[in-house]
Amino acid sequence: MIVYKQSSGDRIFDSINIAIMAVVFIVMAFPFLHLINYSLSNPSLVSGRFLFLPKQVNLDSYKAIFANGDVLHGIYISVARTILGTISMVLVTSMAAYVITRDDLVGIKFFRKYFVFTMYFSGGLIPTYILIKSLGLVGSFWVYIIPSAVSVFNMILIKTYIEGIPKELEESALMDGANDAYLFLKIILPICIPVIAAVSLFAGIGQWNSFIDTQFYNAMNPDLFPLQYILYNSFQSITSVEQFTMGTGAANTQLLTPQSLKIAMTVITVLPIMVVYPFLQRFFMKGLLIGSVKG
């Protein structure tokens, strides 16, 4: 067993790194901890100081939010667009990435340059809106799914990963009579699980946090408002508790303030990402083992 003895310089370097990461953790984690504690506290007991623990635990803000039909419908829209948008992006983008790795495809150099070109240049906001409207997607749920089905950046990530797979796997499968569809679905896709997990995380977070597309295409259709857009509107429109709880049947509004409602809704929008991310972190490691090439 080899024992590595750290020098004084190594110990100083490690100590500096630990101190820097501790500061980064405090800067990133403590503000959100304050929001959680504020949303769980009695607003009348909350001062301007940082909250390490809730003051007199109070769940009225969350009860009022989940009693609001618009918020519940917004959660449904956000979950639906996140799941469908992520699945469609992974399928379409991974298939396109596999295709552009084929050197025998006619015009492959042109297609590669064409996709990269779209990363740096676009038609702009107005031409994009005209295109979306001409396709009949304005005012529909599918405007959240179809335009985001292809991500050139994620395509390049998957393409690079596929190019690192030994060509012998493909050649042996083709010799056994496999076609391109079987080769992609049964061999390439399972090996690409680590990068698929990564791009799925990117796509899922992007879909969950998106609200600008609602502003552009569905601002006049409240039935298609995702949770993030409802949160965006609440910061501008909620000026009184009665305005938010009207018609919800909320029993106790004495321990509610507009600020506590906004903060509780912010926690609800961020919490799912915090729950899903550690799961995907473990999935990365599992995917690395599944994707390994055994001799």
Side-chain angles (χ1 to χ4, degrees):
M1 180 178 180
I2 300 176
V3 179
Y4 176 72
K5 185 177 180 180
Q6 285 187 320
S7 65
S8 58
D10 293 333
R11 288 193 292 270
I12 293 174
F13 179 76
D14 290 342
S15 300
I16 293 175
N17 282 337
I18 293 173
I20 293 175
M21 295 306 300
V23 171
V24 171
F25 173 78
I26 292 172
V27 170
M28 296 178 63
F30 277 24
F32 188 70
L33 177 63
H34 174 75
L35 291 180
I36 295 177
N37 291 331
Y38 189 105
S39 66
L40 295 173
S41 300
N42 185 337
S44 62
L45 302 178
V46 175
S47 61
R49 295 177 298 176
F50 183 85
L51 295 176
F52 287 94
L53 292 172
K55 292 188 176 182
Q56 189 178 332
V57 175
N58 169 41
L59 299 177
D60 289 348
S61 296
Y62 291 97
K63 292 178 181 177
I65 288 174
F66 286 111
N68 189 297
D70 293 337
V71 173
L72 293 179
H73 189 72
I75 293 175
Y76 167 75
I77 294 296
S78 291
V79 171
R81 69 172 294 177
T82 299
I83 294 175
L84 294 177
T86 301
I87 293 175
S88 64
M89 191 284 299
V90 168
L91 289 177
V92 175
T93 302
S94 60
M95 287 190 291
Y98 172 70
V99 170
I100 63 176
T101 61
R102 314 303 294 179
D103 294 329
D104 55 346
L105 179 66
V106 177
I108 185 60
K109 293 184 178 179
F110 167 78
F111 288 116
R112 289 171 180 169
K113 293 178 181 178
Y114 172 79
F115 283 122
V116 173
F117 179 85
T118 62
M119 292 182 62
Y120 299 99
F121 303 96
S122 66
L125 179 59
I126 295 177
T128 300
Y129 180 85
I130 295 174
L131 173 62
I132 296 297
K133 186 175 181 179
S134 66
L135 294 174
L137 297 177
V138 174
S140 70
F141 173 78
W142 297 107
V143 75
Y144 301 142
I145 308 300
I146 295 177
S148 61
V150 176
S151 170
V152 177
F153 176 77
N154 292 336
M155 183 192 304
I156 293 176
L157 290 180
I158 300 174
K159 168 184 173 294
T160 303
Y161 194 91
I162 293 176
E163 289 175 340
I165 298 175
K167 294 296 183 181
E168 290 77 10
L169 288 176
E170 298 183 26
E171 294 173 356
S172 61
L174 293 174
M175 290 177 62
D176 291 337
N179 55 24
D180 284 328
Y182 183 91
L183 180 62
F184 172 74
L185 294 174
K186 297 296 184 178
I187 298 178
I188 301 299
L189 198 59
I191 295 177
C192 291
I193 285 180
V195 70
I196 294 296
V199 299
S200 298
L201 179 63
F202 299 155
I205 292 177
Q207 286 282 3
W208 179 263
N209 289 333
S210 181
F211 65 93
I212 295 297
D213 48 5
T214 305
Q215 180 75 47
F216 290 155
Y217 309 120
N218 285 329
M220 304 303 294
N221 194 346
D223 291 337
L224 295 176
F225 286 179
L227 182 61
Q228 296 290 351
Y229 190 72
I230 295 174
L231 173 65
Y232 168 77
N233 284 336
S234 70
F235 275 92
Q236 305 179 58
S237 60
I238 295 180
T239 57
S240 66
V241 174
E242 291 75 15
Q243 175 188 359
F244 184 83
T245 58
M246 184 179 301
T248 62
N252 185 14
T253 60
Q254 297 179 352
L255 298 180
L256 296 178
T257 64
Q259 184 73 2
S260 66
L261 289 172
K262 294 175 183 178
I263 291 178
M265 193 177 297
T266 302
V267 173
I268 291 173
T269 58
V270 176
L271 200 58
I273 299 300
M274 297 183 62
V275 173
V276 170
Y277 187 77
F279 168 76
L280 287 180
Q281 282 287 87
R282 296 194 298 269
F283 192 69
F284 288 159
M285 299 305 299
K286 181 180 178 181
L288 289 172
L289 295 177
I290 294 178
S292 61
V293 179
K294 298 181 180 180

